[in-house]
Amino acid sequence: TFYLFCELSCTYPQPTIQSTATFKTMRTTNAFTAFLCYSTWSIGHAFAPQKQSARLQSTKMADSFIEETTLTSMPTFNIDRPSMIKKCRSSAGRVNNRHSSRDWIHNVASLPRSSVLREIMNPVLSITAWSTVVSVAHRLMQASSSSLWNNFAINMCVPTSVHSFLVSSLGLLLVFRTNSAYQRFVEGRKIWEQILSVSRNLSRMMTLYESEIGTERIYQIKNTLAAFPYLLRHHIRPECLDDINTSLSSEFKLKLQRPPFEFVETRHEGDTHYGGVVDSESYEGQACFCTVDKRTLPWSLLSSKALSKCANAMNRPLWACDRMAKEIVSIPYSDTFTSRERLTLLGNIDKLSNAIGECERIHQTSVPLNYARHALRSLTLWLMTLSFALVKDLGLITGPVVGITAWLMFGIYQIGHSIEDPFQKTLRLSILCNAIRRDVLGETEYRISAFSLDDSSELKVHKQSLRTVPSFQ
């Protein structure tokens, strides 16, 4: 793609006897530059932390471990050994979202199903149609017998040096926007990683002090903690978690008020003429409701009384933090549960509350309006006039060539727009919510077994066997 772009951007002289050397030199330079870009990409992927060779090696090691493990020693499980090995082999390398240069055939073949292409289809087709009209008009005026039309066809062509000078500034605009959007994406992922870690730590500490806290109180706190990520996802996404139809029985229906419209202002202070005027109070006054099923997550994790209170709250994840803090404060003091343990638990609740504000900051703050509009206007004008610079050399194929360039440029801009708010279906928040719920509620028996110390006899035998092992220098 870079080589094709260089070929179209440079102004080549006609291949006459005097300019043959210059023509070959420019083509060789472009080809060598494209080779350097491609080789740098390949080397960077080769030294990536999770390269494909490492994934293949780990897959082989997993297969050998499964084949060497005696599955018959597992108690009371009826396991089909060939089917389990086949399932593990198929799931070991099924998910791979890191693409190397060897995946170029798959990437090209999946271009018609690209979500970015669907989103930028309108401007790309418009630019392509406009460039095609320009090329056809230029060819008709060239073929005309009138000298007036011939002179107009010559004068409508502009030098390519103008677009070559502007493409650097335009590239800086697009790269800066994409980099700033990617930083917001990384920050959003770090916030949810912190939520996952804090939830695990909070769940572990409550399990360790189960006798002091009480089984019933731990059950309520853990259920509220497991519902917290779902409530936060619902808070930063302007849609219902599980919107249902009206055919469900009224016994299982729960009417929720959607989060209010958060007024995001990106203009400068006092601007009432440019960028549109929006009355935030009129939007915040409009109440939007949706109906959900009480038997689904996260509503099934809350008790009936807590569910009604949570449904009436405007900021439900904050309500969940306040509820957990109140439960922790009501824990009675004992010899093993003092103010130190209480403050530690409340500190974890404070971290969850801070995560709500951090998510709201990313969700409610967009790119400044002046920068976004200037970048889009510059890109549109550059593409609209690109056909006048290429029609002299490309002729009737100007339309497809400019269309490919428009797809490339608008695609970069759209990617920056898509990841600007990472919580709008860019991050897989449902996977993170399910992971937090499983770890908090202890649905995996292996984590629950870590809190049981009934294997002390086996530990003594293991220590005695270690003493008998000779040491080697």
Side-chain angles (χ1 to χ4, degrees):
T1 306
F2 180 80
Y3 176 71
L4 177 61
F5 182 75
C6 292
E7 288 287 322
L8 299 179
S9 300
C10 296
T11 305
Y12 293 129
Q14 297 296 327
T16 57
I17 299 177
Q18 292 81 6
S19 61
T20 302
T22 306
F23 182 74
K24 292 182 178 180
T25 303
M26 297 177 70
R27 292 184 63 91
T28 305
T29 303
N30 288 338
F32 182 71
T33 307
F35 171 74
L36 288 179
C37 295
Y38 188 82
S39 59
T40 304
W41 182 23
S42 302
I43 294 174
H45 180 270
F47 289 95
Q50 295 184 6
K51 54 186 179 179
Q52 187 172 3
S53 59
R55 290 195 300 270
L56 293 176
Q57 183 178 2
S58 61
T59 304
K60 293 179 181 179
M61 293 175 62
D63 291 343
S64 61
F65 175 76
I66 293 173
E67 291 175 357
E68 294 175 1
T69 303
T70 306
L71 298 179
T72 56
S73 61
M74 300 178 64
T76 66
F77 289 101
N78 187 11
I79 299 178
D80 187 5
R81 186 172 184 272
S83 61
M84 180 179 179
I85 295 176
K86 183 178 180 181
K87 183 182 296 184
C88 294
R89 282 177 174 175
S90 61
S91 62
R94 180 174 62 241
V95 179
N96 181 16
N97 292 326
R98 293 178 174 88
H99 299 277
S100 65
S101 57
R102 287 174 288 185
D103 301 329
W104 67 275
I105 297 179
H106 170 72
N107 291 329
V108 174
S110 61
L111 180 61
R113 302 187 301 272
S114 174
S115 59
V116 177
L117 181 61
R118 291 194 301 266
E119 294 173 352
I120 64 174
M121 186 66 69
N122 187 11
V124 169
L125 292 180
S126 301
I127 295 296
T128 304
W130 165 254
S131 302
T132 304
V133 171
V134 171
S135 62
V136 172
H138 181 267
R139 177 58 63 89
L140 292 178
M141 286 186 289
Q142 274 187 336
S144 177
S145 57
S146 175
S147 59
L148 179 64
W149 290 111
N150 292 333
N151 293 333
F152 189 78
I154 295 175
N155 295 329
M156 70 180 293
C157 300
V158 297
T160 57
S161 58
V162 179
H163 288 78
S164 300
F165 294 151
L166 294 177
V167 72
S168 301
S169 302
L170 185 61
L172 288 178
L173 288 175
L174 294 178
V175 168
F176 179 78
R177 173 177 171 80
T178 306
N179 287 343
S180 61
Y182 183 74
Q183 291 176 0
R184 294 162 62 95
F185 173 81
V186 173
E187 185 179 1
R189 182 61 184 88
K190 289 181 178 179
I191 293 173
W192 277 85
E193 181 183 0
Q194 181 184 2
I195 295 174
L196 177 61
S197 301
V198 171
S199 301
R200 289 171 176 173
N201 298 336
L202 187 59
S203 174
R204 180 191 303 112
M205 191 169 183
M206 287 188 298
T207 305
L208 292 175
Y209 290 92
E210 183 178 1
S211 58
E212 292 80 3
I213 299 176
T215 305
E216 183 179 357
R217 183 175 284 111
I218 285 182
Y219 176 78
Q220 295 177 0
I221 296 177
K222 283 190 174 183
N223 283 353
T224 308
L225 180 60
F228 171 79
Y230 296 96
L231 298 176
L232 180 58
R233 185 187 68 173
H234 178 50
H235 180 67
I236 59 181
R237 283 185 178 179
E239 58 184 7
C240 275
L241 290 179
D242 187 22
D243 201 356
I244 60 175
N245 51 21
T246 57
S247 60
L248 187 67
S249 175
S250 60
E251 180 183 359
F252 305 109
K253 286 184 180 180
L254 178 63
K255 189 176 182 180
L256 298 175
Q257 184 175 355
R258 295 188 182 185
F261 175 80
E262 299 294 344
F263 183 65
V264 180
E265 181 61 84
T266 59
R267 299 171 293 163
H268 61 83
E269 188 70 24
D271 183 17
T272 58
H273 300 284
Y274 303 99
V277 180
V278 180
D279 187 7
S280 60
E281 296 181 358
S282 61
Y283 281 89
E284 292 177 356
Q286 297 178 0
C288 300
F289 296 92
C290 61
T291 305
V292 296
D293 191 354
K294 295 181 180 180
R295 299 170 295 180
T296 58
L297 293 173
W299 321 114
S300 60
L301 299 174
L302 303 176
S303 61
S304 58
K305 294 182 180 180
L307 184 59
S308 60
K309 295 179 181 180
C310 181
N312 296 328
M314 299 300 297
N315 194 332
R316 297 185 184 91
L318 184 60
W319 180 92
C321 291
D322 297 339
R323 187 58 177 262
M324 288 186 291
K326 182 61 178 178
E327 292 285 351
I328 293 174
V329 169
S330 61
I331 300 174
Y333 285 97
S334 63
D335 295 336
T336 56
F337 190 87
T338 60
S339 298
R340 181 180 58 184
E341 288 76 17
R342 187 190 306 273
L343 293 177
T344 302
L345 293 176
L346 291 177
N348 291 327
I349 300 298
D350 292 339
K351 292 180 181 179
L352 295 179
S353 181
N354 294 336
I356 300 175
E358 294 173 354
C359 291
E360 290 175 345
R361 172 173 52 84
I362 295 178
H363 174 62
Q364 299 174 8
T365 306
S366 60
V367 174
L369 183 63
N370 296 333
Y371 181 84
R373 286 193 170 184
H374 182 72
L376 188 57
R377 288 166 180 168
S378 303
L379 177 59
T380 304
L381 291 177
W382 189 84
L383 290 173
M384 291 289 289
T385 57
L386 183 61
S387 56
F388 295 99
L390 301 180
V391 68
K392 181 179 179 181
D393 298 329
L394 300 181
L396 294 179
I397 65 173
T398 304
V401 171
V402 176
I404 295 175
T405 308
W407 164 74
L408 177 64
M409 295 297 186
F410 277 117
I412 297 175
Y413 185 89
Q414 184 62 32
I415 289 174
H417 173 74
S418 301
I419 65 178
E420 179 184 343
D421 189 356
F423 308 127
Q424 306 301 320
K425 299 182 180 180
T426 302
L427 286 175
R428 299 292 298 274
L429 298 182
S430 58
I431 299 178
L432 297 175
C433 293
N434 295 332
I436 294 174
R437 175 179 54 83
R438 288 193 300 266
D439 293 341
V440 168
L441 298 181
E443 295 182 357
T444 56
E445 59 179 278
Y446 300 104
R447 191 187 181 198
I448 298 177
S449 62
F451 299 98
S452 177
L453 300 180
D454 55 353
D455 54 349
S456 57
S457 60
E458 297 180 2
L459 183 60
K460 293 180 180 179
V461 174
H462 179 65
K463 288 183 178 180
Q464 185 176 2
S465 62
L466 291 178
R467 295 192 186 98
T468 59
V469 176
S471 59
F472 298 93
Q473 302 242 345

